[in-house]
Amino acid sequence: EAETLRDRMLAASGQLDRKLFGTPLAIKENDAGQVVVDGGQKRRSLYIRMRRSQPVGMLQTFDAPVMETNCQRRSSSTVATQSLMLMNSDFVVQYSQRLAERVEADAGPDRRSQVIRAWQLAYGVEPAAELVGELTAFVERQAVAFGKVKEKDDAATPGKFAMASLCQALISANRFLYID
C-alpha cells in the first residue's frame, strides 16, 4: 500500500515521527508540478492532507485510494511509473541518504558492517553471507564511480553517495515493497 511504503522508508531511515493526532501534513507542488508533502514533515502518511484535486504523487503512483468517489476496494497495480518513482523521486533519494547516514552511525566505518546493517534495517533479517560480499563489492564500485564525478564543493564523500545508492536499491526492491 502506498502509505505503508512511505512510512516504511521513514521508519527504516530512523526519521518516522510516531506522534499521534494533530494537524494534517501540508502538501504543495514541487518544481516539476508534482504534489508532494511540504517540507521535511515525517509523520505517518495517515496524516497527509488529502485533496481530490491534488493527489500526492508518490501515493497516487502506488495506488492510494481515489478520493473522487467512494473507494470500496483499493486497486493494486504494478506499472513502470512505480519503478520510475522509486528511481527519481526526491523523497526516495532523500530518505535513501538518511538511511545511509543511519547505517553509518549504527555500523561505523566498516563497509561490510554497513552493508549488513542496511539490509537489516530494510528487511528485518540478516543477509546471506555471499550476498554481503556482492553488496560490499557493489558499494566499492559505486564509490569509485562517484569519486570520478564528485563535485568540488560537495561535502559528501563518494563512499556516502555509494551507500545511499545501495540504500535506494534496497528500498526500491520488491522485497521492500511486498510481503511474501
Side-chain angles (χ1 to χ4, degrees):
E1 297 176 345
E3 300 86 355
T4 305
L5 174 60
R6 180 182 177 275
D7 293 354
R8 286 195 63 214
M9 287 182 196
L10 291 168
S13 67
Q15 301 293 307
L16 182 63
D17 179 356
R18 297 177 189 273
K19 179 183 144 200
L20 298 176
F21 311 109
T23 59
L25 304 178
I27 57 174
K28 68 174 186 174
E29 282 191 25
N30 66 10
D31 296 337
Q34 187 174 59
V35 178
V36 295
V37 175
D38 189 12
Q41 301 176 69
K42 303 169 191 165
R43 295 186 66 210
R44 291 184 53 214
S45 299
L46 168 72
Y47 296 106
I48 295 174
R49 180 178 309 264
M50 292 294 180
R51 294 198 173 160
R52 283 181 238 156
S53 61
Q54 293 182 301
V56 176
M58 180 173 176
L59 300 182
Q60 183 182 29
T61 302
F62 286 93
D63 304 317
V66 177
M67 302 305 283
E68 295 170 1
T69 59
N70 289 340
C71 180
Q72 296 178 357
R73 183 177 297 170
R74 182 185 293 250
S75 64
S76 179
S77 66
T78 304
V79 293
T81 52
Q82 293 171 342
S83 294
L84 293 171
M85 175 70 72
L86 292 170
M87 288 189 302
N88 299 307
S89 166
D90 290 339
F91 175 82
V92 176
V93 170
Q94 177 184 11
Y95 283 94
S96 297
Q97 291 168 345
R98 295 225 174 127
L99 176 55
E101 291 166 4
R102 180 180 181 189
V103 163
E104 186 176 3
D106 290 357
D110 178 55
R111 187 71 68 206
R112 185 174 175 80
S113 297
Q114 289 178 358
V115 165
I116 292 169
R117 185 65 181 144
W119 189 274
Q120 290 170 336
L121 289 170
Y123 304 135
V125 296
E126 294 284 326
E130 63 276 358
L131 191 57
V132 173
E134 291 174 24
L135 294 175
T136 303
F138 167 79
V139 173
E140 294 301 333
R141 287 191 309 273
Q142 287 291 91
V144 170
F146 284 128
K148 293 177 183 176
V149 295
K150 184 177 185 287
E151 299 289 327
K152 293 184 182 353
D153 61 343
D154 196 345
T157 65
K160 289 181 191 273
F161 281 123
M163 185 53 65
S165 180
L166 172 66
C167 290
Q168 185 174 3
L170 293 176
I171 64 177
S172 297
N174 280 345
R175 187 172 187 155
F176 191 85
L177 300 174
Y178 302 103
I179 298 173
D180 288 333

